[in-house]
Amino acid sequence: MTTSQSLTDTPATDRLTIRHVPLGPDAPVGPDTPGPLSDPETGRIAAFLHRHLGQYGDALSDIQACLRYAHERGGSVTLAEEDGHLLGAVVTNRTGMSGFIPENILVYVAVHESTRGRGVGRQLIEVATGALQGSVALHVEPHNPARKLYERLGFTNKYLEMRLQR
């Protein structure tokens, strides 16, 4: 399912569109749904995320691996665009689990610095999570200002994550 809607009530712009693209082997196929993202578009999204995630981002190679995972195993990309310019992106991955681990993980959310604070991130997350089946997890650093947005959208802190880095 592709969701492409004009969001004329957004303070960011009246030409903003949000496009949701399901990916992976179980992604719907048909005349009203897109195929997988092209390699150039995937590269454009990875570069955008790498730049606009800033201090909360990952290496470009990790972002590319996340997008490959979504293509190969399941996930989605949700984009905010205006006149062909990318203003925001959300990437989700399917976990292949349920119950003890949420079915989806919201891996990346980034909005162009020129449109932050205008509701674009909220709209992206609402479209992305609204199109997903099952629960959604995300990781956010405690001092990341986006944490307040996630809480307003209903995300709660159920666990303290601990990692053994190797």
Side-chain angles (χ1 to χ4, degrees), residues 35-116:
L37 297 169
S38 68
D39 287 343
E41 188 167 23
T42 300
R44 180 180 92 138
I45 294 164
F48 176 89
L49 289 166
H50 185 252
R51 176 173 179 197
H52 294 285
L53 286 167
Q55 72 186 63
Y56 303 107
D58 292 327
L60 180 60
S61 60
D62 291 337
I63 296 168
Q64 291 166 330
C66 172
L67 287 163
R68 270 192 310 278
Y69 181 99
H71 277 281
E72 294 168 4
R73 303 183 88 191
S76 67
V77 172
T78 307
L79 305 170
E81 299 168 297
E82 177 187 66
D83 300 328
H85 298 285
L86 191 53
L87 299 182
V90 169
V91 179
T92 67
N93 286 160
R94 299 279 301 158
T95 66
M97 300 177 206
S98 66
F100 61 99
I101 301 268
E103 292 88 344
N104 305 281
I105 183 163
L106 197 158
V107 185
Y108 294 115
V109 178
V111 174
H112 193 286
E113 62 258 4
S114 69
T115 57
R116 289 184 186 151

Side-chain angles (χ1 to χ4, degrees), residues 105-154:
I105 183 163
L106 197 158
V107 185
Y108 294 115
V109 178
V111 174
H112 193 286
E113 62 258 4
S114 69
T115 57
R116 289 184 186 151
R118 299 183 190 166
V120 174
R122 176 187 54 79
Q123 293 173 22
L124 276 167
I125 294 168
E126 287 175 343
V127 170
T129 58
L132 298 173
Q133 299 293 317
S135 298
V136 182
L138 66 79
H139 295 133
V140 62
E141 294 181 28
H143 60 280
N144 185 331
R147 179 179 173 184
K148 292 189 184 327
L149 168 64
Y150 304 142
E151 289 169 347
R152 282 193 307 270
L153 290 171

